[in-house]
Amino acid sequence: MTALLLETAFVDEAGQSMTGKDVASVIERLVAERGGPDRIQSDNGSEFISRAMDKWAYDHGAVMDFSRPGKPMDNATVESFNGSFRDECLNVNWSLSMEDAQEKIEKWRRDYNEFRPHSSLGDLTPEQFVAKYKDSERSPKTPLLGGSVFG
C-alpha cells in the first residue's frame, strides 16, 4: 500500500501505487478547496519527479523543490509527519483489505486534522488553523510538502 501524504492539508490517498497523474489530481482537488501553492517541496519519489507533476507545476506557476537524494532532512517536516503516521496509524493497525486500510487511515486523518492541537500551529488543530487564516490577507501562500509512505 502507498499513502500519499500532503502535510499542508494531510490528504490520504491509499492504493497499490500512485502515479504523477494521481498526485496531480489530488493536488488539483486541494487547489479548488484552498488555493494553490507557490512551491511543492517533496522527496524524489517517482510520483513527484514525473512529467505529469512537472507539467502541473509549470501550468500553475509552482516551483518543484526536491530534497537531495540521501538527505531526508531537506524535507524534515514531511519526514517527521511520516514517522508519526507510521507509528500512530500504520504500525498499530492490521488491514484486511485496501478498503479497510483506507477507512483506518481516514479515521486517523480526521483525528490528526480535526481534534489534535499542534504546537507548531499555536496549539490549534489544522482545521482551526486553516479556518482562522482562510480569508485573512495575512495568510501567505504556504508550500505544499509532499512525500510517500509505504506500509
Side-chain angles (χ1 to χ4, degrees):
M1 176 187 70
T2 300
L4 173 63
L5 303 176
L6 299 175
E7 200 274 334
T8 302
F10 183 61
V11 173
D12 65 278
E13 293 289 324
Q16 293 297 322
S17 65
M18 295 200 74
T19 66
K21 283 185 178 181
D22 297 329
V23 175
S25 175
V26 171
I27 293 173
E28 192 64 37
R29 202 170 63 230
L30 280 176
V31 167
E33 293 172 14
R34 301 192 178 173
D38 294 50
R39 178 173 66 95
I40 299 174
Q41 181 179 343
S42 72
D43 59 24
N44 289 285
S46 60
E47 66 276 21
F48 291 108
I49 62 171
S50 68
R51 287 185 180 162
M53 277 302 301
D54 189 46
K55 180 175 180 347
W56 186 94
Y58 178 81
D59 290 347
H60 293 83
V63 174
M64 295 297 297
D65 185 9
F66 300 105
S67 57
R68 296 171 292 170
K71 303 288 185 186
M73 293 314 294
D74 284 355
N75 206 358
T77 302
V78 169
E79 293 300 325
S80 174
F81 181 81
N82 286 354
S84 296
F85 178 60
R86 185 179 307 282
D87 291 345
E88 298 170 13
C89 184
L90 297 179
N91 290 349
V92 298
N93 290 299
W94 181 261
S95 299
L96 302 174
S97 66
M98 188 58 65
E99 292 76 23
D100 186 38
Q102 289 169 332
E103 287 173 16
K104 289 172 179 168
I105 291 169
E106 176 61 15
K107 181 179 176 185
W108 186 87
R109 184 196 69 79
R110 293 197 64 200
D111 177 65
Y112 183 89
N113 276 338
E114 298 172 13
F115 302 106
R116 185 189 305 179
H118 297 262
S119 60
S120 64
L121 302 177
D123 292 320
L124 299 173
T125 67
E127 187 176 77
Q128 291 167 327
F129 184 82
V130 168
K132 181 176 179 178
Y133 292 103
K134 186 174 186 177
D135 297 320
S136 171
E137 291 181 24
R138 297 177 302 159
S139 177
K141 281 190 169 184
T142 56
L144 186 61
L145 307 173
S148 297
V149 173
F150 302 95

